[in-house]
Amino acid sequence: TNNWTIHQFSRVRDLGLTGELCIPVYVNEANGHVTLGNIDTSMIETVVEHPDNSMKQQLIILRKLPKESYRRAYRVIDTSSAEMGSREHGRLVGLNCGTVTGADFSKGDIIEPAGTGRKYKCEIAGACFFFTINNPMTANRGWSDLLPDMDWIDAHDQFLFSSVEKAIESSKYVLDVTLTGKNEQQIREWLRSQRSLKPGERFAHNENITQEFKTPDLRLEDSASLASVLKNHVLAGAGLPPVWFAETLGSRASAPEMTEPAYRHLKMRQKYIAYVISRIFRFTLDQAIIHGRLRQDMRRSDGNLANIESASFYLRMPEVSFRDQRANAIAVKSISAALKDGLANGFIEQEEASRIFKRSSNTNISFCIFLADLLTSRKCCLAKDILLFSVIVRGLRLEIISSRP
């Protein structure tokens, strides 16, 4: 119903463009099935903070439409306040409806929200998720990813448009004709008797007539450098490296160093998207449990909490990495050979070598630091012996020499 295969990309794009994501939910009271909707964030008039915690949003109030008696308000989904032992305790709930309790409001309640600076009444229309990005912790509204560069993007767009107009004008030409010894009347008569020349057509004249094609010199070479400066300024504000946009500001060796901060930003955004999806999935599971559609295993033991495990899930996101896979393959082969030598010489145990190899498959330079700490620890140092261990990771040779004090 919610078509995550397609809509996930639209929601992520809207979150970056507007800085906010408002997703109303519609729960089937019979079986707890959750259907997601969407609210245009430009329709939001006010975001009401939670009275006990300013970092949490409690209500989303929309602009009043002409035929509405009250403004519509949506309660932001939060943990239920139901007492311990109830089905709703500790679970995400939207509104009180039917047998579901623990929410602050029910659908159709008329309230007068506080903290908005104005006095008006609202009608609770439903529950929703509300996510924001790029905002300070004390702000309750999100900011677009384009906000820091919006003026410069507009300036770059206007500059390119004017440059195109100049290029069109510069491609035009005029035919400059000099008629020696002719007065104004004679020149007009000569022009009336002439017609436009076709390509390849011959034109015969005496020494008193001179023709020359002339084009305007608008100095377009200066506009190219300015356009590049504007583009790089926009990219710097967005945190994107110029090498991604056909700018050769440095050598190929410096490209990974320029792209690393951008990848870190992408990983941060990916973690937030994972939080958004996990939050929605958790609400869907909680509603299925509350309405009896999903049965939980209520057995408990010291080593097993079946009631938690039966409703748990793990969201695996694709790796965002700029690493050279060929170099990684060489590094894995070198690490494998180094660990094999360590096992043969008795430096480390089989279990420790297996753990190191598994960890090295997901890390690069950080593995060197981990291995350095491991080899210089007392666990791996031999009495009166000097430990020499060489590891090659991505073309970096790390030699660690240690001995037990």
Side-chain angles (χ1 to χ4, degrees):
T1 304
N2 297 312
N3 198 5
W4 275 100
T5 305
I6 301 300
H7 291 167
Q8 59 176 327
F9 305 107
S10 300
R11 296 192 187 278
V12 172
R13 182 186 65 243
D14 291 349
L15 180 64
L17 289 176
T18 64
E20 298 174 337
L21 200 59
C22 189
I23 307 175
V25 297
Y26 307 96
V27 182
N28 189 325
E29 297 185 12
N31 56 15
H33 178 73
V34 177
T35 303
L36 304 179
N38 184 69
I39 294 178
D40 188 355
T41 54
S42 62
M43 291 293 296
I44 298 177
E45 182 178 72
T46 308
V47 176
V48 180
E49 299 175 350
H50 195 280
D52 299 327
N53 187 355
S54 61
M55 292 181 61
K56 295 173 61 177
Q57 296 86 13
Q58 184 184 37
L59 291 172
I60 305 298
I61 301 177
L62 304 184
R63 301 180 186 276
K64 185 179 178 181
L65 298 180
K67 295 183 180 181
E68 291 181 340
S69 302
Y70 303 99
R71 291 175 173 84
R72 288 174 294 162
Y74 287 81
R75 190 242 180 187
V76 178
I77 294 172
D78 200 358
T79 306
S80 173
S81 59
E83 60 183 9
M84 185 177 296
S86 62
R87 293 180 304 172
E88 298 85 358
H89 176 72
R91 303 195 181 281
L92 297 178
V93 294
L95 296 177
N96 297 325
C97 59
T99 59
V100 179
T101 60
D104 301 327
F105 311 102
S106 299
K107 188 174 182 179
D109 289 349
I110 305 299
I111 62 172
E112 186 174 337
T116 60
R118 299 169 57 190
K119 290 186 178 181
Y120 51 80
K121 293 183 179 180
C122 301
E123 181 180 0
I124 300 298
C128 70
F129 289 101
F130 188 64
F131 304 102
T132 60
I133 57 173
N134 300 326
N135 57 314
M137 296 181 66
T138 56
N140 52 24
R141 299 298 302 268
W143 295 346
S144 171
D145 289 333
L146 300 178
L147 182 62
D149 294 325
M150 196 168 295
D151 293 335
W152 293 105
I153 293 175
D154 181 63
H156 184 262
D157 182 71
Q158 293 184 22
F159 177 77
L160 290 180
F161 185 78
S162 61
S163 297
V164 171
E165 288 185 327
K166 290 173 61 178
I168 294 175
E169 293 297 329
S170 64
S171 63
K172 298 178 180 179
Y173 63 89
V174 295
L175 180 60
D176 184 21
V177 181
T178 302
L179 301 178
T180 306
K182 300 288 185 180
N183 56 28
E184 184 177 356
Q185 183 64 27
Q186 293 173 334
I187 292 176
R188 291 180 179 179
E189 292 178 357
W190 184 88
L191 290 175
R192 281 196 295 266
S193 63
Q194 300 299 314
R195 58 180 178 84
S196 300
L197 297 178
K198 297 180 179 180
E201 187 175 0
R202 292 178 294 178
F203 176 75
H205 60 88
N206 57 22
E207 68 276 5
N208 295 327
I209 300 178
T210 303
Q211 295 191 92
E212 182 180 1
F213 289 95
K214 292 188 176 181
T215 58
D217 185 10
L218 301 180
R219 300 186 180 275
L220 294 178
E221 62 276 2
D222 297 337
S223 62
S225 59
L226 181 56
S228 178
V229 170
L230 286 175
K231 183 178 72 172
N232 291 335
H233 186 76
V234 171
L235 295 177
L240 299 175
V243 293
W244 288 6
F245 297 86
E247 287 288 342
T248 56
L249 299 179
S251 61
R252 187 180 184 278
S254 62
E257 303 300 328
M258 299 173 65
T259 57
E260 184 175 359
Y263 275 103
R264 291 184 180 273
H265 176 75
L266 293 177
K267 289 181 179 179
M268 291 171 57
R269 180 58 56 83
Q270 185 187 56
K271 289 182 178 180
Y272 189 80
I273 297 301
Y275 160 74
V276 171
I277 298 176
S278 300
R279 186 82 170 174
I280 297 175
F281 284 4
R282 171 52 56 194
F283 175 77
T284 304
L285 289 175
D286 288 348
Q287 293 302 308
I289 294 173
I290 292 174
H291 290 81
R293 189 180 181 184
L294 179 63
R295 183 175 298 177
Q296 267 194 301
D297 191 344
M298 301 305 295
R299 292 176 296 176
R300 288 175 176 266
S301 64
D302 294 337
N304 181 31
L305 293 177
N307 61 333
I308 297 178
E309 294 174 356
S310 60
S312 62
F313 66 92
Y314 176 74
L315 186 64
R316 175 174 292 179
M317 305 295 286
E319 182 183 6
V320 180
S321 174
F322 62 93
R323 291 180 294 175
D324 186 0
Q325 299 303 323
R326 182 180 60 180
N328 288 343
I330 298 174
V332 170
K333 183 178 180 180
S334 301
I335 293 170
S336 178
L339 293 176
K340 184 177 180 181
D341 294 341
L343 285 172
N345 296 324
F347 295 154
I348 55 178
E349 300 176 355
Q350 179 68 36
E351 182 180 355
E352 191 71 19
S354 177
R355 185 174 67 87
I356 292 174
F357 186 80
K358 290 179 180 179
R359 180 168 179 174
S360 66
S361 61
N362 294 325
T363 56
N364 38 56
I365 302 302
S366 59
F367 171 70
C368 294
I369 302 175
F370 164 74
L371 192 58
D373 295 338
L374 175 67
L375 296 177
T376 54
S377 63
R378 295 195 174 190
K379 181 178 179 180
C380 296
C381 295
L382 304 178
K384 299 181 181 179
D385 291 338
I386 297 179
L387 178 61
L388 176 61
F389 209 89
S390 300
V391 179
I392 302 177
V393 179
R394 296 186 66 189
L396 297 178
R397 184 176 180 85
L398 175 65
E399 293 187 354
I400 307 163
I401 302 178
S402 63
S403 61
R404 186 172 63 180

